[in-house]
Each structure stands twice: as structure tokens, then as C-alpha cells.
């Protein structure tokens, strides 16, 4: 800054000196000043044009001879130009490194425009989706990946969870798609090959199903013998209690095996391709009957169970699965609420979605347990008591049934004032009953 100020000062002094000398020599101050300033202006315009020409040329072209302040200016331009070139090279290097790093990932990445057109992808995405360099840029994603489930997933617009689908190009390969919206710049599609993982999941599920199945026969035999012993009074009065306890535990084990088998069946089989229209009032009626049986078995004499139905609706689904889900929730409400509780089963429609709700005014659940309630065998403390008769799989079963119906489970609960479990069904499964 001082440099340019100093140069300006020197140039000003030189100009003043020239005008003074010329004025004194010629004795014509005004004319000599005008001549000198005009000459300076002409030179400046020529230099400026020279400078413009140079600026238009390729970076690095020599400027040629320029005097005084033009040299200073051109040097500044050259300096700035070098700095910009350096920054550009660094940015290019960064971009190349970024591309190489993204291509060395295991996951496929595809950058999509807001209209779902393919902008860019990394090397693994080419392998996973069969994208071809030079052909598929700007192509619509759904022209290349023609999977109806993916189209539906995108149309629904809920990208919180990924979706797992069969590969569009390799039979037997399973791909997981996660859509990450990028603000104002479309979407990033992250694709993972989850074939091994799904195979392991399948093996785990098959293993549980096989073990449960194998245990059923010996358990039936044991239960049969225990019942025979009791019925025929084959033990002394001291032994009766032990046999009764054994029978109770074998009953519990039987329920556990049944729940495990049901859960693995829900996990491993495809949902019914032809679901039926089921009247919501029938589901509720069935659930109230079943809940009353639980109530009587547990001797909750003053507990009240009501079904609240306004206009009747239909749900598109599987009768056994839907009744199993709602019965589980209603049975929990009876089992976990003290005698005298009020339990309501209701149906309502919210933004076209069907809500099948089981509400109780029982003890409620602390908020920290809510996110884990649908995990297998997760139980809130103190619910291990045999009096509840649970297997720890009820809510996991409910969650799977709802997933198979395109729905979800919402839970609201306040310790001390009760719980509300809502089965949410998508619009297309909720219709008015004719
Ligand atoms: P369980 O077979 O033990 O009932 P669930 O999966 O059905 O297993 O429920 C998981 C846990 O959630 C239960 O152990 C219980 O602690 C809690 N729970 C479920 N429903 C209710 C309810 N209506 N009120 C209070 N706690 C509940």
C-alpha cells in the first residue's frame, strides 16, 4: 500500500516538475501544462489498450516493454494470476483426490439432479447398477433401474430408512439404497451390496425357526406326560405342586416357541400378494373378546375394555396377521394395567391413513424405553414377573406385521397416566366400508 502511495507521489512530483520546467522555459504556463497533460493522456490510453490486449492473451504470455506504473500494475496482475492458477491446480488436485477416494469406497454413489437424472457416479456404482461412462450421464434413474418398489419408495418421499431390493442386473444380489437429499442440489443415492448380510439374516432366521420347530415335539410330549401325571394323580400331594410348576413353565415355553415361529415366518415369507378387505369393526370385536379372556384369566374383575367405532372402515390386509397384532396390544394393555383400568380400542382416519389404537390408563412407560420396545426380548424392568405371562416378542411381532402391511407402530406413553399404541396403515389400505 505504501509502495503504490510512494510511486503515485513520485509520479505526481515528476509531472509537477515537468510542468514547472516547461512553463519556466516557454513562459506559457497554461499551454505547456495542457500539452504535457494531453500527451500523458494519449500515452495512458495507448498503454491501457496494450494492457487490455495482454490481459486477453493466455496466462503466462510476456507483457513486452511497459514503463513506470504500468510495470507495477502488470506485476500485480501477474502475481494475482499465478496465485489463481495455483489455487485452481490445488482445487483440481482436491477434486481428483475426492473422486479417487469416493471410487475406492465399497458403496456405490450416484449424484442425482432434483429431477432424478444421473449427474455423476463413482466406480462401484457402475458395477452395482451397470452405469456406462458416456452413455448414462443425464439419463433418468428410473429408466436404468426399473424396479417398481424403488419408484414407489421415491414417490413416497420418506428417506429416513434405506430400502433393500434385488439387483437390477445380477440375479441373487441384494442392494440397499439410501437416499440422502442435498439442499438445492438434488440427491445422493448410496448403494450397498447387502447380499451377504441378507443371507446371514436368512440363516439366522431359519436357524431360529428350525430350533423352535425341533423343540416343539419334545415339549408336547413332556407337557402330555405332566398332564397325565396330574390327571391320574400319579404323584404324592407334595409332588403335585412341582408338577404344576413344571406344567406352567412348559406352557410358557410353548408360547415362546409359537411366538418365535410366528416371528420367523413373518420375517422370511412374502406378504400375501392378494390381501383382503377386512372390516375394522370385526377386528375390534375380535380383539375385545380376546382381551376379555386375558382379563378373566388374570382375574382383573373391574377392568373395562371398550371398542370405539364411528363410521366403519375396511383395512386391506391379512386377517390372521392384523388380529394377531391388535390382540397383542390389547393383551399387553390388560396384563400391564392394574385391575380397574380402562382400555379403549379405537379406529380413526388421519390424513387418509388408518389408525388402529389401543389406549390404557395403566402405569405407562418411561421415555427411555420407548425406542427399544419393539426389539426382541426387550422388556421394561419388573415386567419379568411371571404374572404378566409375556414372551418379550409381542411388540416385535406387531412391528413386523405392520411392516408387511406398509404401516408402522407409534407409541405414546406417560409414566403414571397410561400408554397409547397406534398402528398406522397407509392411505391405499384404508377405505370406507360399503
Ligand atoms: P411381553 O411379552 O413381555 O409383553 P412385548 O414385546 O409385548 O413383550 O412388550 C415389551 C415390553 O413393553 C413389556 O415387557 C412391557 O414392559 C412393555 N409394555 C408393553 N405394553 C405395555 C403397556 N400397555 N403398558 C405398559 N408397559 C407395556
Amino acid at each position: 500500500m505504501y509502495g503504490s502511495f510512494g510511486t503515485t507521489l513520485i509520479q505526481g512530483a515528476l509531472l509537477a516538475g515537468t510542468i514547472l520546467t516547461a512553463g519556466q522555459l516557454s513562459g506559457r504556463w497554461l499551454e505547456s501544462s495542457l500539452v504535457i497533460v494531453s500527451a500523458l493522456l494519449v500515452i495512458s490510453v495507448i498503454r491501457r489498450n496494450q494492457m487490455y490486449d495482454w490481459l486477453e492473451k493466455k496466462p503466462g504470455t510476456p507483457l513486452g516493454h511497459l514503463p513506470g506504473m504500468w510495470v507495477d500494475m502488470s506485476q500485480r496482475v501477474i502475481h494475482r494470476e499465478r496465485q489463481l492458477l495455483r489455487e485452481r491446480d490445488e482445487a483440481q488436485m482436491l477434486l481428483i483426490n475426492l473422486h479417487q477416494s469416493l471410487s475406492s469406497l465399497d458403496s456405490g454413489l450416484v449424484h442425482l439432479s432434483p429431477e432424478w437424472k444421473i449427474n455423476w457416479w463413482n466406480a462401484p456404482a457402475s458395477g452395482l447398477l451397470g452405469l456406462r461412462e458416456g452413455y448414462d450421464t443425464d439419463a433418468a434413474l428410473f429408466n436404468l433401474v426399473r424396479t417398481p418398489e424403488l419408484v414407489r419408495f421415491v414417490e413416497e418421499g420418506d428417506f429416513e430408512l434405506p430400502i433393500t431390493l434385488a439387483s437390477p442386473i445380477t440375479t441373487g444380489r441384494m442392494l440397499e439404497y439410501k437416499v440422502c437429499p442435498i439442499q438445492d442440489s438434488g440427491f445422493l443415492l448410496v448403494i450397498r451390496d447387502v447380499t451377504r448380510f441378507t443371507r446371514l439374516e436368512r440363516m439366522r432366521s431359519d436357524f431360529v425357526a428350525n430350533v423352535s420347530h425341533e423343540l416343539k415335539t419334545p415339549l408336547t410330549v413332556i407337557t402330555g406326560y405332566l398332564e397325565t401325571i396330574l390327571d391320574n394323580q400319579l404323584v404324592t400331594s407334595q409332588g403335585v405342586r412341582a408338577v404344576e410348576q413344571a406344567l406352567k413353565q412348559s406352557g410358557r415355553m410353548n408360547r415362546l416357541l409359537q411366538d418365535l415361529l410366528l416371528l420367523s415366518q413373518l420375517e422370511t415369507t412374502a406378504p400375501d400378494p392378494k390381501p383382503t378387505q377386512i372390516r375394522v369393526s370385526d377386528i375390534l370385536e375380535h380383539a375385545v373378546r380376546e382381551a376379555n379372556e386375558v382379563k378373566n384369566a388374570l382375574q382383573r374383575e373391574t377392568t373395562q375394555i371398550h371398542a370405539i367405532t364411528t363410521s366403519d372402515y375396511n383395512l386391506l390386509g391379512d386377517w390372521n396377521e392384523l388380529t394377531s397384532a391388535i390382540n397383542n396390544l390389547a393383551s399387553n394393555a390388560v396384563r400391564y394395567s392394574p385391575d380397574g383400568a380402562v382400555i379403549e380400542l379405537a379406529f380413526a382416519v388421519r390424513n387418509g391413513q388408518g389408525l388402529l389404537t389401543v389406549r390404557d390408563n395403566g402405569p405407562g412407560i418411561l421415555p427411555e424405553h420407548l425406542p427399544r420396545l419393539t426389539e426382541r426380548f426387550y422388556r421394561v424392568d419388573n415386567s419379568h414377573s411371571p404374572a404378566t405371562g409375556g414372551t418379550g416378542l409381542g411388540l416385535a411381532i406387531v412391528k413386523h406385521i405392520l411392516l408387511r402391511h406398509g404401516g408402522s407402530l407409534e407409541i405414546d406413553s406417560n409414566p403414571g397416566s397410561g400408554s397409547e399404541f397406534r398402528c398406522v396403515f397407509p392411505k391405499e389400505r384404508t377405505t370406507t366400508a360399503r
Side-chain angles (χ1 to χ4, degrees):
M1 189 190 162
Y2 288 112
S4 79
F5 180 67
T7 314
T8 315
L9 217 61
I10 293 168
Q11 284 168 349
L14 273 173
L15 180 63
T18 316
I19 291 172
L20 271 174
T21 319
Q24 253 179 358
L25 287 175
S26 63
R28 296 177 164 208
W29 289 91
L30 186 63
E31 287 86 340
S32 23
S33 308
L34 275 175
V35 168
I36 291 169
V37 170
S38 309
L40 264 175
L41 267 175
V42 171
I43 293 169
S44 295
V45 170
I46 294 169
R47 297 294 188 222
R48 193 204 61 175
N49 289 344
Q50 218 176 327
M51 191 84 178
Y52 280 171
D53 286 348
W54 176 71
L55 285 173
E56 292 294 315
K57 287 184 184 146
K58 259 178 41 189
T61 310
L63 176 61
H65 177 71
L66 275 180
M69 67 170 189
W70 298 100
V71 174
D72 181 43
M73 202 186 290
S74 65
Q75 269 165 1
R76 278 159 197 251
V77 172
I78 290 169
H79 177 73
R80 185 85 192 104
E81 191 177 82
R82 282 197 188 132
Q83 198 177 338
L84 285 174
L85 284 173
R86 223 179 11 252
E87 284 172 10
R88 192 196 62 183
D89 288 348
E90 278 169 12
Q92 255 171 2
M93 247 351 259
L94 198 70
L95 203 64
I96 291 169
N97 282 342
L98 194 68
H99 273 226
Q100 281 171 348
S101 314
L102 292 179
S103 286
S104 67
L105 288 175
D106 284 342
S107 307
L109 300 177
V110 182
H111 180 253
L112 298 151
S113 71
E115 297 77 35
W116 297 91
K117 287 196 172 160
I118 298 175
N119 283 340
W120 172 92
W121 64 90
N122 67 351
S126 306
L128 293 170
L129 297 183
L131 299 176
R132 294 153 308 163
E133 197 75 53
Y135 284 95
D136 295 326
T137 312
D138 248 7
L141 174 73
F142 306 114
N143 285 345
L144 295 167
V145 187
R146 294 170 179 270
T147 318
E149 288 95 329
L150 185 66
V151 179
R152 210 172 312 128
F153 175 67
V154 162
E155 276 170 1
E156 279 168 12
D158 180 4
F159 303 133
E160 204 176 305
L161 294 175
I163 180 172
T164 304
L165 300 168
S167 155
I169 56 165
T170 318
T171 329
R173 193 185 239 185
M174 295 304 290
L175 300 183
E176 183 192 80
Y177 298 86
K178 172 92 179 100
V179 176
C180 310
I182 309 170
Q183 210 179 13
D184 301 329
S185 161
F187 305 90
L188 187 69
L189 185 65
V190 185
I191 311 142
R192 277 196 321 138
D193 185 344
V194 287
T195 315
R196 215 174 87 84
F197 178 72
T198 19
R199 222 172 268 155
L200 285 173
E201 266 296 297
R202 178 86 201 191
M203 275 166 65
R204 180 195 58 78
S205 201
D206 285 350
F207 175 76
V208 174
N210 289 338
V211 169
S212 312
H213 194 74
E214 290 301 318
L215 285 175
K216 259 181 84 173
T217 318
L219 189 64
T220 313
V221 175
I222 293 169
T223 311
Y225 276 121
L226 291 172
E227 280 167 354
T228 313
I229 291 170
L230 274 187
D231 291 348
N232 297 310
Q233 296 168 351
L234 299 178
V235 278
T236 56
S237 53
Q238 289 103 317
V240 168
R241 208 179 125 62
V243 177
E244 275 173 355
Q245 278 302 318
L247 199 56
K248 205 169 163 193
Q249 291 305 321
S250 67
R252 198 170 156 237
M253 204 161 159
N254 195 32
R255 282 198 301 280
L256 188 62
L257 291 182
Q258 271 169 3
D259 276 1
L260 278 171
L261 275 170
L262 174 60
L263 197 53
S264 63
Q265 184 214 325
L266 292 171
E267 277 179 336
T268 53
T269 58
D272 187 353
K274 286 198 187 119
T276 44
Q277 294 284 356
I278 301 163
R279 283 181 91 97
V280 172
S281 52
D282 290 346
I283 302 177
L284 293 180
E285 226 171 79
H286 186 271
V288 170
R289 252 197 327 271
E290 294 273 318
N292 271 314
E293 276 180 27
V294 180
K295 169 189 145 162
N296 294 337
L298 294 176
Q299 294 169 347
R300 302 278 159 82
E301 269 128 39
T302 55
T303 289
Q304 301 169 43
I305 305 165
H306 308 288
I308 304 168
T309 36
T310 42
S311 44
D312 203 5
Y313 280 89
N314 278 350
L315 281 175
L316 192 61
D318 179 294
W319 166 262
N320 287 336
E321 291 186 15
L322 289 181
T323 48
S324 166
I326 193 91
N327 290 352
N328 256 307
L329 296 177
S331 151
N332 276 355
V334 176
R335 286 186 296 119
Y336 294 109
S337 305
D339 195 10
V342 179
I343 293 157
E344 282 175 4
L345 281 66
F347 186 80
V349 175
R350 180 185 70 186
N351 301 329
Q353 293 177 313
L355 304 182
L356 202 47
T357 306
V358 176
R359 210 173 289 126
D360 66 60
N361 61 351
I365 305 161
L366 285 169
E368 62 262 33
H369 297 295
L370 297 182
R372 300 196 57 194
L373 280 189
T374 55
E375 285 174 22
R376 276 154 238 236
F377 299 113
Y378 186 83
R379 287 153 140 179
V380 177
D381 283 349
N382 301 328
S383 61
H384 284 279
S385 114
T388 64
T391 61
L393 295 171
L395 293 179
I397 290 174
V398 174
K399 181 180 126 179
H400 269 85
I401 291 176
L402 293 178
L403 276 178
R404 285 161 70 88
H405 286 78
S408 59
L409 180 67
E410 291 179 355
I411 312 172
D412 279 340
S413 188
N414 286 313
S417 55
S419 313
E420 182 169 309
F421 290 78
R422 281 186 302 276
C423 305
V424 185
F425 295 91
K427 282 182 196 168
E428 56 276 14
R429 285 189 181 259
T430 313
T431 48
T432 320
R434 297 224 174 88

